[in-house]
């Protein structure tokens, strides 16, 4: 008997643990089930704002309907919610992409303005430095020529001969200096021309998005009309719930779902157009990247 009692006492903690564990498990199941029901209910109503009065009327219709009718109504209702949720998702995507496109456009405009700016600045500085380097030579050559004119004026042959020799010695050097400056100025002019041509080309590529932006404006007007149709359909649905006629409620729900689908579709179209704008900017970015630094 003592041995049996010891065995029972030895089993008691395990038995208590089993009971406690079972209760905990049941509690967790109830908790997560409640959470599932809550989130399912939330998902069902996602995207549709009925307001307190219309919500009560809708709940009343569902409670009075038979199982099959209730299922049909809830499926139609969920369809509206799904389309509305998609519309909201597309709207957020549009905002994000449009903001990115706007920022990229500003960056591209700045970079296009700066096309070959460093090269042109370097060549301009080289011209300036070259002119400064030869300035003493040109000043000397001008001075010698003035002295030659003065010598000729007083008919001093010896002075004229000496000055003429000096002038003739300087003349080829001055010619080379002028040619050096001319070449560097030509390089600068050509670089400026290339810069202007390239800026014009890149800006033309950038302007390729303008036609798409016009399409976006048109698409936004269409989305606005789709939103208005959805709002009207939603009001009709709310009115139908007050009348408690299941067939009319279902009909208004189907109309609302169609309006929500078109609204979501219009937003998707805007996003697709924004993607085209983005693609244009990517191409311009690639062209800028390909240019030698």
């Amino acid at each position: 008997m003592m041995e049996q009692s010891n065995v029972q006492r030895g089993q008691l903690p395990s038995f208590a643990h089993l009971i406690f564990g079972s209760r905990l498990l049941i509690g967790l199941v109830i908790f997560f089930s409640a959470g599932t029901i809550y989130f399912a209910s939330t998902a069902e109503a996602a995207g549709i704002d009925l307001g307190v009065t219309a919500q009560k009327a809708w709940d009343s219709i569902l409670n009075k309907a038979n199982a099959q009718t209730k299922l049909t109504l809830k499926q139609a209702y969920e369809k509206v919610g799904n389309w509305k949720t998609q519309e909201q998702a597309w709207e957020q995507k549009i905002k994000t992409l449009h903001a990115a496109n706007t920022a990229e456009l500003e960056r591209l405009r700045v970079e296009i303005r700066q096309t070959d700016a460093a090269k042109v600045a370097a060549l301009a500085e080289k011209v300036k430095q070259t002119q400064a380097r030869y300035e003493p030579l040109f000043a000397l050559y001008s001075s010698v020529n003035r002295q030659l004119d003065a010598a000729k004026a007083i008919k001093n042959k010896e002075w004229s001969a000496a000055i003429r020799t000096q002038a003739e010695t300087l003349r080829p050097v001055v010619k080379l200096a002028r040619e050096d400056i001319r070449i560097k100025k030509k390089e600068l002019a050509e670089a400026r021309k290339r810069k202007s041509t390239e800026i014009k080309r890149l800006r033309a590529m950038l302007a390729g998005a303008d036609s798409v932006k016009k399409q976006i404006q048109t698409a936004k007007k269409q989305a606005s009309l789709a939103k208005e149709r959805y709002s009207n359909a939603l009001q009709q649905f709310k009115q139908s719930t007050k009348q408690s006629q299941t067939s009319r409620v279902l009909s208004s729900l189907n109309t609302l779902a169609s309006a929500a689908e078109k609204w979501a579709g219009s937003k998707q179209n805007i996003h697709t157009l924004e993607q085209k704008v983005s693609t244009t900017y990517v191409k311009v970015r690639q062209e800028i990247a390909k240019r030698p630094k």
Side-chain angles (χ1 to χ4, degrees):
M1 289 294 292
M2 182 66 68
E3 183 178 342
Q4 184 177 358
S5 177
N6 290 335
V7 170
Q8 288 175 346
R9 282 199 300 270
Q11 290 177 342
L12 184 59
S14 298
F15 182 72
H17 177 73
L18 178 61
I19 294 174
F20 176 78
S22 299
R23 287 178 178 176
L24 177 62
L25 179 60
I26 293 170
L28 290 173
V29 169
I30 293 172
F31 174 81
F32 285 112
S33 296
T36 302
I37 293 170
Y38 170 79
F39 287 117
S41 176
T42 302
E44 178 185 327
I48 306 178
D49 183 15
L50 293 181
V52 177
T53 303
Q55 185 66 53
K56 288 181 178 179
W58 167 246
D59 291 340
S60 176
I61 289 172
L62 288 179
N63 291 332
K64 293 176 181 178
N66 59 45
Q68 183 58 48
T69 302
K70 184 176 183 179
L71 177 61
T72 302
L73 287 170
K74 290 181 70 175
Q75 286 176 340
Y77 187 86
E78 288 171 2
K79 188 176 180 181
V80 176
N82 289 336
W83 283 120
K84 189 63 177 65
T85 300
Q86 288 189 41
E87 179 274 325
Q88 293 170 345
W90 284 120
E91 177 62 21
Q92 186 56 48
K93 289 181 179 180
I94 290 168
K95 288 180 178 179
T96 302
L97 185 54
H98 180 72
N101 283 340
T102 300
E104 178 65 357
L105 175 60
E106 188 57 33
R107 287 192 294 267
L108 288 171
R109 282 174 172 168
V110 171
E111 292 185 34
I112 289 173
R113 284 198 301 269
Q114 294 174 345
T115 298
D116 291 345
K119 289 181 180 179
V120 171
L123 289 172
E125 182 61 24
K126 189 177 290 186
V127 169
K128 182 180 178 180
Q129 291 175 354
T130 302
Q131 289 175 323
R133 187 170 67 250
Y134 290 133
E135 192 59 37
L137 173 64
F138 296 149
L140 175 61
Y141 187 59
S142 296
S143 176
V144 169
N145 282 322
R146 285 194 299 271
Q147 291 178 45
L148 181 58
D149 291 339
K152 287 179 180 180
I154 62 175
K155 297 180 180 181
N156 188 325
K157 292 182 179 181
E158 291 181 0
W159 188 28
S160 295
I163 297 301
R164 186 178 293 109
T165 299
Q166 189 176 2
E168 288 175 354
T169 301
L170 289 172
R171 188 175 295 116
V173 180
V174 170
K175 184 177 180 180
L176 289 174
R178 287 173 176 168
E179 180 64 14
D180 189 17
I181 292 173
R182 187 193 68 81
I183 290 172
K184 286 180 171 57
K185 283 185 174 181
K186 182 180 179 182
E187 289 176 352
L188 175 58
E190 289 175 347
R192 283 173 172 164
K193 184 177 180 180
R194 285 194 299 271
K195 175 183 177 180
S196 179
T197 300
E198 183 63 7
I199 287 176
K200 185 177 181 180
R201 184 180 77 87
L202 292 173
R203 283 177 175 169
M205 286 186 66
L206 205 60
D210 291 347
S211 60
V212 181
K213 289 179 181 179
K214 290 181 180 178
Q215 293 177 41
I216 289 175
Q217 294 305 314
T218 301
K220 284 183 176 180
K221 291 178 181 178
Q222 293 172 346
S224 181
L225 291 174
K227 178 181 179 180
E228 186 177 346
R229 284 194 290 269
Y230 174 84
S231 296
N232 292 336
L234 180 59
Q235 290 302 318
Q236 290 176 2
F237 169 65
K238 289 179 178 180
Q239 288 295 328
S240 67
T241 58
K242 294 178 181 179
Q243 297 171 1
S244 298
Q245 294 183 15
T246 304
S247 60
R248 185 167 294 181
V249 170
L250 181 58
S251 176
S252 64
L253 263 179
N254 289 333
T255 301
L256 184 59
S258 178
E261 180 181 4
K262 289 179 180 178
W263 191 11
S266 66
K267 291 294 182 69
Q268 184 179 7
N269 182 42
I270 293 173
H271 184 264
T272 299
L273 293 171
E274 283 286 358
Q275 285 180 317
K276 289 183 178 181
V277 172
S278 181
T279 299
T280 298
Y281 293 166
V282 168
K283 290 179 180 178
V284 176
R285 170 68 59 193
Q286 290 171 343
E287 286 297 307
I288 292 175
K290 285 193 299 185
R291 290 189 56 76
K293 303 302 180 184

